[in-house]
Amino acid sequence: MIRRLALLIVFYLLSAELLAWTSRTVLDPGGHVDVAIAGLTVLSLVLRLLTMFVVPFFLAFRLLNTRFHRPKMDR
Amino acid sequence: MKWIRVLVALAVVRLVTPTMVGRDARAWYRGDPAVQRALAEDLVAFEARDDLHRSQSADRFTGEWALVTHQMIALGLAQLCLEHPEWKPRYAPFATKAALASFLPEMRGFGTRAWRGEDALASLDGPHGHAYLAYPALAIGMARLVDPAFPVAKAREHDALIAAYERRLLASPTGLIETYPREAYPTDVAAVAAAIAVHGRVTGVDHRRVLAHWAERVRAVQIDPASGLVIQRMGAAHGDRHDAPRGSGTGLAAYYALFADRSIAELLAKGLFDHEATFFGFGAIREYAAGHSGRGDVDSGPVILGVSVAATGFALAPARALGRWDSFERIYRTTALFGMPVGHGGHMRFATGGPIGNALLLALLTSGPELAR
């Protein structure tokens, strides 16, 4: 799980940087460029929302599980 | 016990996520030079690239959005010059450059076409409102305020435009002048009032009579008494409603009112923040007053779950200028969550904003020094 969350954060950071670079470089969007920027924007936003909400939730939940989980006794 | 762990994890998200996303909110609110300069430098670089593009490309960055982009860059840079006078040598020339770009004939081509070929500056003696040109007129006024080297010829054109706006506004029983034929937008007329007010500060000309007339008509005609929001679109002659009371128009009108009349700005801000929706430490402004509904359009941007992108962004200006820290913080968090601020080499930008979004945010996040007394 931790590895997946780390990958999610890395993908989010990459997409945000790519989006920032694209929007910085392309002043007059049009046609295919418009579609690419729109797609990248949606992808980056989805990854950002997941990173900002899902990652802290699962990290906290996992920490609580580790701290308070009582293993079942072998019978 | 699992549901307790879920609740605790949700509480952690409630505490951690808004704090993490809005970590720059206090810096923007306090006017931290580091964040202000980083966004300003990015937009200064945009203005320089735009010049190059304009000279090389037939497919130029023009039209209504380009006009607003250059206008907001000029306003943002001029506000920074007022807040940090020592920055004038760096940013005042760029405020002038951006203001002059917003004043180019091709930028207002959309308005000229709407009036069937009648150019706003070529018809100053005429009765038509052409209120859309108040956006660049306000930018020109702010550039004149901070840049002693502003070109004299353009200043004279600006004087003539303001005189025409003053005459048209005083003649209007509704305090409205048309943007397009048979369409008046109280927000655009707030820009007219702002442009007139700033012109008074620059030249010393007394515009109090027209500003008092505008303010009185805003209270009596343009604000929906039930919601406190301004009606988005109206008839100029009789003040009949052509649209609902909406957050996007009210938000931008509140920003413009800051230049012209503090009491009107406070009134509009109250209506705006009465429509703030909050969730998990994030804030956003509802687009439509209760009892009204509609889809997103060019004014509001997307309307999602009843809140609009534009109304939310515009609310940053009155929140900062009028000292509403709590609202500012919540709304900045939402702006940052969806705007995705990224930094690079001493610059920063909101990755999803594009030129117009970043220009708007520079002006809105630095609002305050322009506040009328």
Side-chain angles (χ1 to χ4, degrees):
Chain A
M1 177 57 86
I2 295 291
R3 200 175 300 166
R4 283 180 198 160
L5 293 178
L7 267 177
L8 176 66
I9 294 169
V10 169
F11 280 132
Y12 156 61
L13 291 174
L14 279 175
S15 71
E17 282 302 322
L18 187 58
L19 177 63
W21 180 82
T22 312
S23 62
R24 214 168 36 240
T25 312
V26 184
L27 191 62
D28 282 332
H32 297 305
V33 180
D34 256 352
V35 175
I37 288 183
L40 203 49
T41 302
V42 171
L43 174 71
S44 303
L45 276 177
V46 170
L47 291 173
R48 179 167 171 81
L49 290 173
L50 289 173
T51 302
M52 293 299 171
F53 288 94
V54 177
V55 171
F57 177 84
F58 274 107
L59 285 179
F61 190 70
R62 192 181 166 91
L63 194 68
L64 290 167
N65 263 347
T66 313
R67 180 72 183 80
F68 298 110
H69 181 65
R70 196 175 295 161
K72 286 180 183 165
M73 301 291 287
D74 288 336
R75 293 178 188 247
Chain B
M1 289 298 283
K2 187 175 177 180
W3 65 271
I4 292 181
R5 289 199 289 271
V6 169
L7 281 180
V8 173
L10 282 172
V12 169
V13 175
R14 169 64 184 84
L15 284 175
V16 169
T17 301
T19 307
M20 195 164 54
V21 172
R23 62 187 176 279
D24 290 336
R26 194 167 289 279
W28 280 110
Y29 189 77
R30 285 184 175 165
D32 181 338
V35 291
Q36 290 181 335
R37 191 188 282 273
L39 183 56
E41 285 299 325
D42 202 68
L43 288 160
V44 162
F46 166 80
E47 279 296 334
R49 283 199 314 277
D50 186 58
D51 270 2
L52 184 67
H53 229 76
R54 198 183 304 283
S55 65
Q56 290 178 347
S57 167
D59 180 26
R60 289 172 296 187
F61 181 60
T62 56
E64 196 171 352
W65 281 29
L67 182 151
V68 174
T69 302
H70 291 299
Q71 178 225 7
M72 289 293 170
I73 292 174
L75 295 184
L77 295 178
Q79 285 163 195
L80 288 180
C81 290
L82 293 178
E83 188 163 350
H84 308 282
E86 70 278 14
W87 289 3
K88 277 188 186 176
R90 169 68 180 154
Y91 292 131
F94 284 103
T96 293
K97 179 193 274 282
L100 291 176
S102 74
F103 213 47
L104 289 170
E106 60 260 40
M107 296 289 171
R108 58 177 183 271
F110 64 91
T112 307
R113 282 190 294 279
W115 286 100
R116 296 185 181 149
E118 180 183 278
D119 181 67
L121 283 184
S123 56
L124 293 178
D125 293 334
H128 299 146
H130 292 282
Y132 56 86
L133 204 59
Y135 288 61
L138 174 58
I140 293 279
M142 287 295 281
R144 288 178 72 181
L145 194 60
V146 298
D147 185 5
F150 190 89
V152 175
K154 288 292 169 193
R156 296 292 81 83
E157 279 184 37
H158 181 238
D159 292 340
L161 176 60
I162 296 297
Y165 278 145
E166 181 167 25
R167 175 179 54 77
R168 291 168 187 162
L169 201 48
L170 279 170
S172 168
T174 58
L176 291 165
I177 61 175
E178 290 173 321
T179 293
Y180 305 124
R182 293 175 299 284
E183 283 185 47
Y185 296 81
T187 307
D188 294 357
V189 186
V192 171
I196 292 172
V198 171
H199 180 267
R201 280 188 233 172
V202 172
T203 61
V205 174
D206 185 353
H207 293 302
R208 280 179 294 182
R209 189 163 82 92
V210 67
L211 292 174
H213 170 69
W214 166 75
E216 191 275 322
R217 295 287 82 194
V218 169
R219 291 177 200 274
V221 177
Q222 301 169 25
I223 295 180
D224 170 50
S227 64
L229 299 179
V230 293
I231 299 142
Q232 192 86 351
R233 191 157 42 95
M234 305 180 78
H238 306 293
D240 39 327
R241 297 181 177 206
H242 294 175
D243 199 345
R246 290 173 54 179
S248 53
T250 307
L252 190 53
Y255 171 52
Y256 287 142
L258 292 167
F259 294 85
D261 187 314
R262 184 182 179 130
S263 66
I264 293 290
E266 283 172 344
L267 190 64
L268 296 176
K270 182 181 181 313
L272 195 65
F273 293 115
D274 283 348
H275 288 79
E276 185 186 352
T278 60
F279 177 74
F280 244 58
F282 292 82
I285 304 294
R286 293 189 200 91
E287 177 62 16
Y288 288 91
H292 300 269
S293 63
R295 294 182 173 176
D297 60 13
V298 68
D299 292 333
S300 64
V303 174
I304 301 161
L305 301 174
V307 301
S308 87
V309 171
T312 303
F314 293 149
L316 287 165
R320 179 172 192 254
L322 299 174
R324 290 173 174 261
W325 160 246
D326 291 344
S327 291
F328 182 90
E329 185 181 38
R330 287 190 296 268
I331 289 169
Y332 179 80
R333 286 169 178 165
T334 309
T335 306
L337 180 65
F338 292 98
M340 295 174 45
V342 289
H344 57 93
H347 294 207
M348 73 83 61
R349 62 167 34 217
F350 293 86
T352 62
I356 189 169
N358 281 281
L360 278 161
L361 284 169
L362 177 69
L364 300 168
L365 287 168
T366 60
S367 173
E370 77 285 6
L371 187 58
R373 285 174 180 80

